[in-house]
Amino acid sequence: SLPAKLINGGIAGLIGVTCVFPIDLAKTRLQNQQNGQRMYTSMSDCLIKTIRSEGYFGMYRGAAVNLTLVTPEKAIKLAANDFFRHHLSKDGKKLTLLREMVAGCGAGTCQVIVTTPMEMLKIQLQDAGRIAAQKKLMAAQAQLSSSSAAGAAKPVVETRTTAMQITRELLRSKGIAGLYKGLGATLLRDVPFSIVYFPLFANLNKLGQKDPNVKAPFYVSFLSGCVAGSTAAVAVNPCDVIKTRLQSLQRGVNEDTYSGILDCTKKIWQKEGPMAFLKGAYCRALVIAPLFGIAQVVYFIGIAEFLLDMLPKHRA
């Protein structure tokens, strides 16, 4: 049933995000840093420096936004894919690969309603620590290189903003369109992701089914979700880099700004080289693999069906 699909998708999203959010924060910071302004050399270096400068919970900056909106996002994504697969099937016959891809395309298109504002807010909070750390480093270097003995420079103090403050400011200055900045880039990432992910998962999962009418074991669904998720994540990583850059409202010192997808692509290619489009790819694979593995296990085990079935018995 649709309520069960929505509940399953929501539970899966909450569990997955809680487990992998620090890696997602490292991915955002690695993707946003530009040549000449590198703060971090790797995922582990980013997480270690984040803990040292911002504390353990610094790794979870922006998590509240994700945990709030990931439930409707994952619910829409998984339920929409099932909806399109159901209506594209003919008399219960096996879907062709093309129809599976069309269903995935529909799911990816539907989810951006929630994904775009969620990512927009999350990126501002995740990247704020990197920008503050960069400013502190630049101030320290300027102080050391200065030959004047006028006294110590004023320390750079980071002013922390909340998701609600960012939302109110965007709505006041740009209206609802402010929350949907980077919508085109989000579609460019999420539609191809779903086109790759859902057919690949479905076919991998079928390999573990002894009978077409019986669900595959949970570990098969988990591994299928991990493999399909990481494959699709790496495949669309260039689009994710572009999306992250376009949705970042604040820039570090001497960092480029972009007017659109083509301008962003051109500047990254010219100034940072083609390998820059793979920034954070392994982080993204590490995030997406368990996230979708957990999502598919929860979804296919059917926790929601169990809960919904218990309600009438409890009332009785």
Side-chain angles (χ1 to χ4, degrees):
S1 64
L2 182 60
K5 290 174 183 177
L6 297 177
I7 294 170
N8 279 331
I11 293 171
L14 289 172
I15 296 171
V17 166
T18 303
C19 294
V20 301
F21 194 84
I23 304 174
D24 186 63
L25 179 135
K27 180 218 67 147
T28 297
R29 293 189 177 185
L30 288 170
Q31 286 183 339
N32 259 337
Q33 65 179 5
Q34 300 177 20
N35 287 353
Q37 304 295 334
R38 288 170 63 99
M39 290 292 301
Y40 316 108
T41 58
S42 64
M43 179 186 73
S44 58
D45 181 56
C46 178
L47 293 177
I48 290 169
K49 287 179 178 176
T50 298
I51 293 173
R52 285 176 180 171
S53 61
E54 303 169 54
Y56 174 79
F57 290 104
M59 296 190 298
Y60 282 88
R61 293 181 70 168
V65 175
N66 240 31
L67 291 171
T68 302
L69 296 178
V70 75
T71 297
E73 186 219 23
K74 286 290 176 288
I76 289 171
K77 187 185 189 83
L78 295 171
N81 181 65
D82 268 8
F83 173 83
F84 287 116
R85 287 178 71 91
H86 173 72
H87 285 279
L88 287 168
S89 63
K90 293 183 178 180
D91 302 324
K93 292 181 181 179
K94 181 181 176 181
L95 282 173
T96 63
L97 179 60
L98 179 60
R99 287 177 180 268
E100 287 183 331
M101 293 171 71
V102 171
C105 177
T109 304
C110 291
Q111 80 169 85
V112 297
I113 298 169
V114 176
T115 302
T116 305
M118 179 183 76
E119 294 267 313
M120 178 72 181
L121 295 172
K122 182 193 72 171
I123 286 171
Q124 314 317 314
L125 298 171
Q126 284 182 328
D127 204 39
R130 180 189 71 88
I131 294 172
Q134 189 189 85
K135 288 179 179 178
K136 288 178 183 177
L137 180 62
M138 296 290 288
Q141 290 174 346
Q143 184 180 350
L144 287 172
S145 62
S146 176
S147 57
S148 64
K154 291 183 179 180
V156 177
V157 179
E158 180 189 355
T159 304
R160 294 205 175 193
T161 56
T162 65
M164 286 302 298
Q165 288 173 327
I166 297 170
T167 301
R168 283 196 294 266
E169 177 59 27
L170 285 171
L171 290 175
R172 184 190 64 79
S173 60
K174 299 181 181 179
I176 193 68
L179 290 172
Y180 280 87
K181 183 181 180 182
L183 175 62
T186 306
L187 280 167
L188 197 62
R189 181 197 67 173
D190 288 347
V191 172
F193 178 92
S194 295
I195 289 173
V196 174
Y197 173 77
F198 283 111
L200 183 56
F201 168 79
N203 286 282
L204 289 174
N205 196 56
K206 284 176 186 175
L207 297 176
Q209 289 180 278
K210 295 180 179 178
D211 187 322
N213 298 317
V214 179
K215 289 181 181 178
F218 80 93
Y219 66 87
V220 173
S221 292
F222 176 76
L223 291 174
S224 299
C226 287
V227 172
S230 58
T231 302
V234 173
V236 302
N237 195 74
C239 300
D240 189 56
V241 172
I242 294 168
K243 183 199 73 67
T244 301
R245 296 278 182 97
L246 288 175
Q247 288 189 318
S248 297
L249 298 176
Q250 294 186 24
R251 302 288 177 193
V253 181
N254 300 323
E255 289 185 343
D256 287 327
T257 56
Y258 311 102
S259 60
I261 294 173
L262 292 177
D263 180 56
C264 182
T265 304
K266 182 180 177 182
K267 285 180 178 177
I268 292 174
W269 183 279
Q270 291 177 342
K271 297 184 179 182
E272 301 175 57
M275 291 303 294
F277 291 104
L278 293 178
K279 282 184 176 181
Y282 66 95
C283 292
R284 184 162 163 75
L286 288 175
V287 168
I288 296 297
L291 184 63
F292 277 85
I294 292 168
Q296 292 297 358
V297 168
V298 172
Y299 198 61
F300 277 83
I301 286 177
I303 291 176
E305 286 88 339
F306 173 76
L307 294 174
L308 291 172
D309 286 343
M310 289 297 291
L311 284 176
K313 295 177 184 177
H314 178 70
R315 288 170 183 166

